[in-house]
Amino acid sequence: MNSRLQEIRERQKLRRQLLAQQLGAESADSIGAVLNSKDELKEIEETRETCRASLDSSIAQTKRKAPTEGEDTEEEVEEQKDEVEVQPPEESNAYEEVYKDSSTFLKGTQSLNPHNDYCQHFVDTGHRPQNFIRDVGLADRFEEYPKLRELIRLKDELICATNTPPMYLQADPRHFDLQDLKCKFDVILLEPPLEEYYRESGISHTESFWSWDDIMKLDIEEISDLRSFVFLWCGSGEGLDLGRMCLRKWGFRRCEDICWIKTNKNNPGKTKALDPKAVFQRTKEHCLMGIKGTVRRSTDGDFIHANVDIDLIITEEPEMGNVEKPVEIFHIIEHFCLGRRRLHLFGRDSTIRPGWLTVGPTLTNSNFNPETYSSYFALPNANLSGCTEEIERLRPKSPPSKLKSDRGGGVPRGGRGGPNAGRGGDRGRERNRPNFRGERGGFRGRGVLHRGFPPR
């Protein structure tokens, strides 16, 4: 009997130690202080009831047989039972629910490290869950993928070698005719100053912003080539729908949605002004990608290299009042599209870069000359950066589409409306005859209604 009681005590002690380790308590005696609730009292009561039940069953067995040498008597068992009973803790005068961290909500978890609830961690500390995603920078993203790392290095070298000198023009697209650029572009990146950015960044409303009606009036369809791409930053609110309307008006089809996830490692807990139109705290922005013309991944390798980058950007959120977009969007565009005629609308002095024509009202200077810019693409196919054999070998490729005749052999089955209508071709037509009798039997039509079906 002593061994049974000792086993119960050891099991209870081990359970309390494990619970204290999970909740981060210093010892098993301080579990109640960590939980700060009455759940601990309930657990102690359940443990006490378990001990009583096991003791009662043991007492019933000892009553059926006479006590032998080495066994405990009934009186000794009662004394040991009293020792096992846990004294109830002193009740406090008032019970207050004070939640200081997520320990109260993590009771009973099976994880050795229960504090991995990133949503609750955001509530406690202000650190967003995306802060803990590793290897998101351009420098260390492909460390574990040597082929992709080599591909990105080769493409960056080729882009630097084929880029045109940076050109920029100080002009307000609201009053400037985009056709005066005298060029058809392969890629157009739009970064309009939306009202949404002013609400979130705290910039005074004296700054001019663009409405979606103004953005839709831009003549993007007049300056885009027959096969081209447009990238439109649209925020995270109503722009997701209105941006798609702009793409359709300009003659583009939405094909991708690049999402910018903002981290706050430098300023945890300090968020921008909450958007009154938002239900949740917005920590992302969207860049819609549209395609014009016919561009296939498997056959148009001279114009696009698909599957090199992903549709996700994870960078630190800019400071209050800063509306800069991540520079990684330029790398995604340059790695994807091999066209060299790139236009950035609503650009700033900080976004001027080689290979791009930057147009914006906040630029402080201009060096754009239409004739000089057009001379860079005078030769045939001069608007393409080209490709090397090593890049072609390393880049991900899409398999060529199979023709209908290559998808399967055999005699084609009859399809709906085809020459062999019915499941079996000619046999399907024969089965519809009134006196048809199948090879394996069936019924012969007699020109009367079938008794199993009501008349129509």
Side-chain angles (χ1 to χ4, degrees), residues 96 102 113 115 141 149 161 189 195-196 213 236 248 278 305 353 362 376 428 440 442:
E96 298 179 358
S102 58
N113 181 18
H115 301 281
R141 179 176 304 170
R149 184 175 66 247
L189 172 63
E195 181 186 3
E196 176 183 344
D213 292 335
S236 58
R248 288 194 294 267
H305 282 175
R353 59 188 288 120
T362 61
Y376 298 140
R440 298 183 180 180

Side-chain angles (χ1 to χ4, degrees), residues 273-319:
L274 299 180
D275 192 341
K277 298 182 179 180
V279 179
F280 303 105
Q281 292 192 26
R282 293 177 176 173
T283 63
K284 60 178 177 59
E285 288 187 27
H286 295 264
C287 181
L288 299 179
M289 174 182 172
I291 180 176
K292 179 181 178 181
T294 303
V295 181
R296 294 185 175 89
R297 295 179 298 175
S298 57
T299 58
D300 294 329
D302 62 324
F303 190 60
I304 62 170
H305 282 175
N307 303 325
V308 176
D309 289 293
I310 62 175
D311 58 353
L312 194 64
I313 302 174
I314 304 177
T315 60
E316 186 71 10
E317 184 178 29
E319 298 179 355

Side-chain angles (χ1 to χ4, degrees), residues 170-216:
Q170 194 277 330
D172 189 354
R174 199 190 304 268
H175 310 292
F176 177 74
D177 189 2
L178 296 178
Q179 299 187 42
D180 292 341
L181 299 176
K182 299 180 181 179
C183 183
K184 297 285 187 178
F185 293 92
D186 303 311
V187 174
I188 302 175
L189 172 63
L190 292 96
E191 194 177 324
L194 302 176
E195 181 186 3
E196 176 183 344
Y197 302 149
Y198 294 91
R199 294 197 305 261
E200 296 180 354
S201 60
I203 301 177
S204 61
H205 284 272
T206 56
E207 300 286 342
S208 61
F209 58 86
W210 279 58
S211 65
W212 284 105
D213 292 335
D214 298 333
I215 298 172
M216 195 174 297

Side-chain angles (χ1 to χ4, degrees), residues 38 41 45 48 87-95:
K38 292 184 177 180
L41 301 179
E45 184 66 25
R48 184 168 55 195
Q87 297 296 331
E90 298 179 358
E91 296 183 359
S92 57
N93 296 332
Y95 172 66

Side-chain angles (χ1 to χ4, degrees), residues 121-348:
H121 188 70
F122 168 70
V123 175
D124 297 337
T125 64
H127 276 281
R128 296 172 182 171
Q130 55 262 34
N131 293 355
F132 303 95
I133 303 177
R134 302 182 301 127
D135 302 334
V136 298
L138 292 173
D140 51 2
R141 179 176 304 170
F142 304 105
E143 287 299 326
E144 299 180 0
Y145 305 93
K147 288 186 177 181
L148 279 177
R149 184 175 66 247
E150 181 66 13
L151 173 63
I152 295 301
R153 186 188 67 82
L154 294 175
K155 287 188 72 67
D156 289 340
E157 292 180 355
L158 180 62
I159 291 170
C160 292
T162 57
N163 274 339
T164 60
M167 283 197 170
Y168 38 93
L169 174 64
Q170 194 277 330
D172 189 354
R174 199 190 304 268
H175 310 292
F176 177 74
D177 189 2
L178 296 178
Q179 299 187 42
D180 292 341
L181 299 176
K182 299 180 181 179
C183 183
K184 297 285 187 178
F185 293 92
D186 303 311
V187 174
I188 302 175
L189 172 63
L190 292 96
E191 194 177 324
L194 302 176
E195 181 186 3
E196 176 183 344
Y197 302 149
Y198 294 91
R199 294 197 305 261
E200 296 180 354
S201 60
I203 301 177
S204 61
H205 284 272
T206 56
E207 300 286 342
S208 61
F209 58 86
W210 279 58
S211 65
W212 284 105
D213 292 335
D214 298 333
I215 298 172
M216 195 174 297
K217 294 178 182 178
L218 293 174
D219 296 330
I220 302 299
E221 64 274 14
E222 300 296 335
I223 61 173
S224 56
D225 203 5
L226 294 179
R227 58 174 186 174
S228 55
F229 298 94
V230 64
F231 294 81
L232 174 62
W233 284 104
C234 60
S236 58
E238 65 275 4
L240 290 173
D241 295 326
L242 299 177
R244 285 170 167 81
M245 296 175 60
C246 291
L247 296 184
R248 288 194 294 267
K249 188 263 180 182
W250 297 333
F252 288 82
R253 309 181 305 277
R254 191 207 68 84
C255 57
E256 289 291 346
D257 184 352
I258 301 175
C259 188
W260 173 27
I261 306 297
K262 304 176 184 178
T263 60
N264 64 343
K265 298 179 182 178
N266 299 333
N267 295 313
K270 297 180 180 179
T271 59
K272 295 182 177 181
L274 299 180
D275 192 341
K277 298 182 179 180
V279 179
F280 303 105
Q281 292 192 26
R282 293 177 176 173
T283 63
K284 60 178 177 59
E285 288 187 27
H286 295 264
C287 181
L288 299 179
M289 174 182 172
I291 180 176
K292 179 181 178 181
T294 303
V295 181
R296 294 185 175 89
R297 295 179 298 175
S298 57
T299 58
D300 294 329
D302 62 324
F303 190 60
I304 62 170
H305 282 175
N307 303 325
V308 176
D309 289 293
I310 62 175
D311 58 353
L312 194 64
I313 302 174
I314 304 177
T315 60
E316 186 71 10
E317 184 178 29
E319 298 179 355
M320 185 72 70
N322 191 346
V323 293
E324 292 281 345
K325 298 298 183 290
V327 70
E328 188 175 341
I329 188 67
F330 293 100
H331 294 273
I332 293 177
I333 295 174
E334 293 169 356
H335 292 165
F336 168 72
C337 183
L338 277 62
R340 298 169 60 220
R341 299 173 297 184
R342 311 184 188 102
L343 173 64
H344 182 198
L345 283 179
F346 304 100
R348 297 169 299 277

